[in-house]
Amino acid sequence: SRLLEEVLLLLFCLHSDVAGVTCDELKEALQSAMSDLDSSKGRVDTVEQEKASLQTLLLSSQEKVNDLSEELETTSRQFEEMQEELNMRIHNLESENKTVCFKQKKNPAT
């Protein structure tokens, strides 16, 4: 907005032919405004670069989260399968134990 104010002031000065304003002063004001504009462009470029960098980082982070989610899902499935297998082994061992106990009660000599 400062730049706009300076440009409008210059236009007003040129259009109104205000006394006491020299051409050099107008040039200086215009150069100052242009310098401010260049500086602003530089800051915008920097912000755009930072934005692009952050977007890249966000995308990379999202990919890592997706990979970790898939890995977690696979690990959870494997855990469930192992848990089922262990439950079956426990059940089989309990059945075998009952059979051995029953045989020992029936035939205590063995």
Side-chain angles (χ1 to χ4, degrees):
S1 71
R2 185 174 149 234
L3 175 65
L4 182 60
E5 288 175 11
E6 289 185 39
V7 170
L8 291 175
L9 177 63
L10 289 175
L11 290 174
F12 175 76
C13 289
L14 289 173
H15 197 61
S16 302
D17 194 24
V18 175
V21 176
T22 66
C23 185
D24 288 340
E25 289 173 329
L26 291 176
K27 284 180 185 178
E28 266 184 52
L30 183 57
Q31 286 174 346
S32 174
M34 295 303 287
S35 174
D36 288 348
L37 179 60
D38 289 341
S39 176
S40 295
K41 285 180 183 177
R43 288 192 300 269
V44 167
D45 289 344
T46 300
V47 168
E48 288 296 326
Q49 289 172 355
E50 289 175 3
K51 179 183 171 185
S53 176
L54 288 173
Q55 285 174 331
T56 301
L57 181 61
L58 176 62
L59 182 59
S60 173
S61 297
Q62 287 172 334
E63 289 173 358
K64 286 179 183 177
V65 166
N66 290 341
D67 291 346
L68 288 172
S69 292
E70 288 176 17
E71 188 176 328
L72 177 61
E73 191 175 313
T74 300
T75 303
S76 293
R77 254 193 323 259
Q78 290 171 343
F79 177 78
E80 288 174 6
E81 290 169 3
M82 291 172 66
Q83 192 173 23
E84 286 177 21
E85 186 177 331
L86 284 174
N87 286 338
M88 284 176 41
R89 286 184 182 182
I90 289 170
H91 178 72
N92 290 341
L93 287 172
E94 287 173 344
S95 295
E96 287 177 28
N97 190 31
K98 287 178 185 177
T99 302
V100 169
C101 288
F102 178 73
K103 286 181 180 179
Q104 283 179 349
K105 286 182 183 179
K106 196 172 182 188
N107 190 1
T110 53

